[in-house]
Amino acid sequence: MVWPKSINKHLFSALLVGLALRLFFILHFPFAAGDTPYYEELARNWVYHGVYGFFSYGHLYPSDLRGPGYPGFLAIIYSVAGPGRNSVFLAQAFVDLATCVLTACIAAQLAAGASEAVRRRVTTTALWLAVLCPFTANYTAALLTEVLA
């Protein structure tokens, strides 16, 4: 991995600003979409009843209506922090910030053949663009698969 050493001074500030942006969306614009109740019910039933499924007519039935990836993520968060949405939003914010660092790593790798100055510029730019992108940051405030996808 070719990571310019001088990028470390940008890393902390970029992640802090990125976290602030994500917290802004979480605090002011949390939302639920059409799939949210399905994911929540699957996760709750998995954690509290040991069945990946839905209640129907008073009985819990296994289901394959949704893939287990995101409900599994929710189940882990629910089992650690309880069934609140804010803990999920916060976990998603940290996952999203990790993908921002991954974006900068990929940019650094793509610029591996360039000079140190060019590599530093490319990596720093990729990091800041990723943490400040509102189109991906706003999905941290939704119980949807977008952040993990």
Side-chain angles (χ1 to χ4, degrees):
M1 167 66 196
V2 182
W3 180 268
K5 293 188 186 347
S6 61
I7 192 69
N8 292 335
K9 66 182 178 182
H10 287 277
L11 185 62
F12 179 73
S13 56
L15 291 177
L16 194 61
V17 170
L19 180 61
L21 176 63
R22 282 147 184 83
L23 289 175
F24 173 77
F25 282 117
I26 290 168
L27 295 173
H28 296 288
F29 302 106
F31 65 94
D35 288 346
T36 299
Y38 298 118
Y39 295 132
E40 288 180 308
E41 185 177 355
L42 285 168
R44 280 193 312 270
N45 290 336
W46 207 356
V47 170
Y48 300 119
H49 304 291
V51 175
Y52 185 78
F54 295 104
F55 275 99
S56 179
Y57 300 107
H59 298 287
L60 181 58
Y61 294 103
S63 176
D64 63 353
L65 185 62
R66 298 283 188 272
Y70 190 67
F73 173 76
L74 292 179
I76 291 168
I77 302 300
Y78 289 170
S79 65
V80 171
R85 288 184 174 184
N86 287 336
S87 55
V88 175
F89 293 156
L90 193 58
Q92 289 184 158
F94 285 109
V95 168
D96 195 42
L97 289 172
T99 62
C100 294
V101 173
L102 180 62
T103 300
C105 289
I106 292 170
Q109 195 67 19
L110 289 172
S115 69
E116 178 68 23
V118 170
R119 216 175 24 227
R120 182 176 51 249
R121 251 190 331 265
V122 167
T123 307
T124 303
T125 302
L127 177 65
W128 280 101
L129 283 173
V131 299
L132 294 176
C133 179
F135 304 111
T136 56
N138 76 338
Y139 279 110
T140 60
L143 283 173
L144 292 172
T145 62
E146 274 69 7
V147 170
L148 295 184

